[in-house]
Amino acid sequence: MRKHPYHLVDPSPWPLFAGLAAFVTTIGAVMYFHAYVGGGLVCSFGLLMILYSMFVWWRDIIREATFEGHHTKAVQIGLRYGMILFIASEVMFFLSFFWAFFHSSLAPTVEIGAVWPPKGIQVLNPWEIPFLNTLILLSSGAAVTWAHHAILAGYRKQAIYSLCVTILLAILFTGFQGYEYLSAPFTLSSGIYGSTFYMATGFHGTHVLIGTTFLIVCLIREINFHFTKHHHFGFEAAAWYWHFVDVVWLFLFVSIYWWGS
């Protein structure tokens, strides 16, 4: 019998496996960027390893929380602190992209015409797809909040419906952003503007995909009666992450799409 409320985890191979997967993905991406033969294959294999590690690692955590009862109140507090620190690290991650953008746009160099946007760059209209995506993402944030309140109130069907709405809006956002990339009049190699634009919006798009996966897992768990009024931190973490994605997009829209145009 345990004499404390804390969870002493069993030895797991998945942190080491996930680190190896990230290493393989990075090596493959570098090979692909430098046109080495097999770079795309290595990168794809690394991404598959990452997806597999996400599946098995989350599976073990869900088992610990839902079926083995290891996630006590004390453990949940620790998990909350961990998620807050993770989101804080993500804030600093995006801060570096905004720093690069404002460094280049507030004091444009002579090489790009001493103006921003640089000469020869035809920017996107912020009031077309970007503004539509803003409305879509804000609506998805409202839907995930609806799901949270439904779980707290014990309305399981409403929680399922609102999670479905959130996921559909997230997929719609990703589709519009993909179309925007395909139709954009500039590329990643279009100087500093293309670099800062695609790095910032592209990494945000990656976070949208991760958040969408997170929400799909929560939807499956809600369908399988994993969440209760008092024990649903897995969903709370997903909701926090999704609201973070919303806020970052607002900064991207205001600074890069609107002010930067």
Side-chain angles (χ1 to χ4, degrees):
M1 296 294 294
R2 285 183 310 180
K3 296 183 180 180
H4 58 79
Y6 301 100
H7 179 207
L8 302 179
V9 297
D10 296 326
S12 173
W14 307 130
L16 178 61
F17 184 84
L20 179 63
F23 177 74
V24 172
T25 305
T26 303
I27 295 297
V30 171
M31 292 173 61
Y32 176 76
F33 292 153
H34 290 275
Y36 282 95
V37 177
L41 185 62
V42 174
C43 184
S44 300
F45 181 69
L47 289 173
L48 289 175
M49 291 175 64
I50 289 176
L51 290 174
Y52 178 75
S53 63
M54 289 170 60
F55 173 78
V56 291
W57 203 344
W58 283 3
R59 178 202 62 189
D60 289 353
I61 294 173
I62 290 170
R63 183 192 299 122
E64 293 168 356
T66 308
F67 303 109
E68 297 177 358
H70 290 310
H71 287 192
T72 61
K73 290 293 183 182
V75 173
Q76 290 183 54
I77 291 173
L79 291 172
R80 281 179 167 82
Y81 284 141
M83 191 65 191
I84 290 170
L85 290 173
F86 170 70
I87 291 176
S89 71
E90 292 283 278
V91 170
M92 302 308 295
F93 180 77
F94 277 97
L95 181 62
S96 65
F97 294 142
F98 285 109
W99 189 296
F101 173 77
F102 284 114
H103 172 79
S104 303
S105 59
L106 291 174
T109 61
V110 175
E111 288 79 7
I112 61 173
V115 293
W116 191 267
K119 286 188 176 181
I121 294 292
Q122 181 184 351
V123 300
L124 297 168
N125 186 344
W127 303 110
E128 294 180 349
I129 291 179
F131 183 67
L132 176 60
N133 265 352
T134 302
L135 296 179
I136 291 172
L137 210 54
L138 290 177
S139 299
S140 71
V144 81
T145 302
W146 170 26
H148 191 192
H149 285 285
I151 291 174
L152 289 173
Y155 298 146
R156 180 172 165 272
K157 286 187 177 180
Q158 284 197 28
I160 292 173
Y161 295 152
S162 52
L163 272 173
C164 288
V165 171
T166 307
I167 293 166
L168 288 174
L169 289 172
I171 294 171
L172 190 61
F173 174 91
T174 303
F176 276 121
Q177 189 168 27
Y179 174 77
E180 178 185 80
Y181 280 4
L182 291 174
S183 59
F186 53 88
T187 64
L188 182 62
S189 59
S190 299
I192 187 62
Y193 186 88
S195 298
T196 53
F197 176 87
Y198 282 107
M199 286 294 288
T201 60
F203 271 98
H204 176 268
T206 303
H207 283 69
V208 169
L209 291 175
I210 294 171
T212 304
T213 305
F214 208 165
L215 291 169
I216 291 172
V217 171
C218 288
L219 174 61
I220 295 171
R221 294 189 65 191
E222 178 64 23
I223 292 172
N224 287 280
F225 298 91
H226 286 191
F227 296 136
T228 66
K229 296 180 182 179
H230 307 292
H231 199 286
H232 56 270
F233 174 71
F235 172 80
E236 278 188 307
W240 292 356
Y241 188 86
W242 196 251
H243 287 310
F244 162 73
V245 169
D246 284 348
V247 173
V248 170
W249 176 259
L250 289 177
F251 279 98
L252 286 172
F253 175 77
V254 171
S255 61
I256 294 180
Y257 283 101
W258 178 55
W259 181 85
S261 63

